[in-house]
Amino acid sequence: MATIKPGERKLQILQGLAAMLEQPKGEKITTAALAAKLAVSEAALYRHFASKAQMFEGLIEFIETSVFSLINQITVQQDKGLMQANAVALMLLNFAERNPGMTRVIIGEALINEDQRLQVRMNQFVDRIEMSLKQSLRIAASQGETSEQEVIIRANILVSFVLGRWQRFAKTRFQQKPCDGAAQQIALILG
């Protein structure tokens, strides 16, 4: 029997939780159901996480780290503000499409019966995304690609668009892909 290295079990637990969230008609996620899926005891889960809320926090940390490192890469690689905003919006939609379970966390659907601080944290995540888009659009304004007056409006429209796509993806049980037709729609928002 292979021994699991320290930290691997914690990652397995988070991957199992994410996999359960990807089930469109999935049952309520309980620690008992998660333990059964992973073929471990509930005590094993609690050796790595003090609560189910801490497990969700682990997923949220993964989401935040992934998304904001991708945003940073985009802003470093692309010096045109409108191109940055376009690339960020498309990346956010692609992230959701590749991580359906995480999408349910981002929109708060998976957090309904969990600790309220988790939803507050996801709201802050969306606020940070909007701030990133504003930064890109301010660069675009300084480059003459848009007006300074439109920065806040366009950033808000982009965030609302992305949130709507995420919601629709989750509510259609992952059938309506977030990226379908999105490039043209984002171009209209930024045009």
Side-chain angles (χ1 to χ4, degrees):
M1 186 172 171
T3 58
I4 294 177
K5 294 177 187 168
E8 283 184 15
R9 176 65 74 195
K10 194 172 188 174
L11 181 60
Q12 284 180 335
I13 293 167
L14 292 176
Q15 289 171 335
L17 178 57
M20 288 180 78
L21 288 167
E22 289 181 11
Q23 300 308 309
K25 296 180 184 177
E27 71 280 358
K28 183 177 190 287
I29 296 176
T30 62
T31 54
L34 179 58
K37 178 177 177 51
L38 297 172
V40 299
S41 67
E42 281 188 80
L45 298 179
Y46 289 117
R47 278 194 288 278
H48 299 281
F49 296 97
S51 64
K52 189 167 63 162
Q54 267 193 0
M55 293 176 207
F56 276 109
E57 282 178 335
L59 287 180
I60 291 169
E61 285 173 22
F62 169 81
I63 292 165
E64 290 172 336
T65 301
S66 299
V67 165
F68 290 111
S69 68
L70 290 169
I71 288 173
N72 287 337
Q73 286 176 22
I74 290 166
T75 58
V76 166
Q77 293 169 356
Q78 181 54 255
D79 60 348
K80 293 280 190 188
L82 282 182
M83 295 300 289
Q84 282 181 15
N86 184 62
V88 167
L90 286 173
M91 175 276 296
L92 293 167
L93 298 175
N94 276 308
F95 181 84
E97 201 165 304
R98 287 193 201 112
N99 301 285
M102 303 289 181
T103 304
R104 292 185 60 215
V105 174
I106 293 169
I107 66 168
E109 181 183 283
L111 305 175
I112 289 173
N113 295 315
E114 304 302 328
D115 191 308
Q116 182 59 32
R117 69 181 153 75
L118 298 174
Q119 186 58 61
V120 168
R121 188 163 170 188
M122 290 318 307
N123 292 344
Q124 291 169 340
F125 168 78
V126 172
D127 290 343
R128 286 179 59 201
I129 288 171
E130 188 167 2
M131 284 191 316
S132 295
L133 288 167
K134 284 178 188 173
Q135 285 178 310
S136 294
L137 292 167
R138 282 191 179 103
I139 292 169
S142 73
Q143 295 169 334
E145 296 179 314
T146 190
S147 72
E148 187 64 42
Q149 294 79 13
E150 293 179 354
V151 167
I152 293 170
I153 295 166
R154 287 182 195 243
N156 186 264
I157 291 171
L158 273 175
V159 167
S160 297
F161 173 77
V162 168
L163 283 170
R165 287 296 183 115
W166 286 342
Q167 284 278 348
R168 191 168 184 191
F169 184 48
K171 299 297 183 194
T172 62
R173 297 182 171 158
F174 312 125
Q175 298 305 306
Q176 184 73 42
K177 303 293 183 202
C179 295
D180 290 350
Q184 296 86 352
Q185 293 169 345
I186 292 168
L188 281 174
I189 293 169
L190 294 174

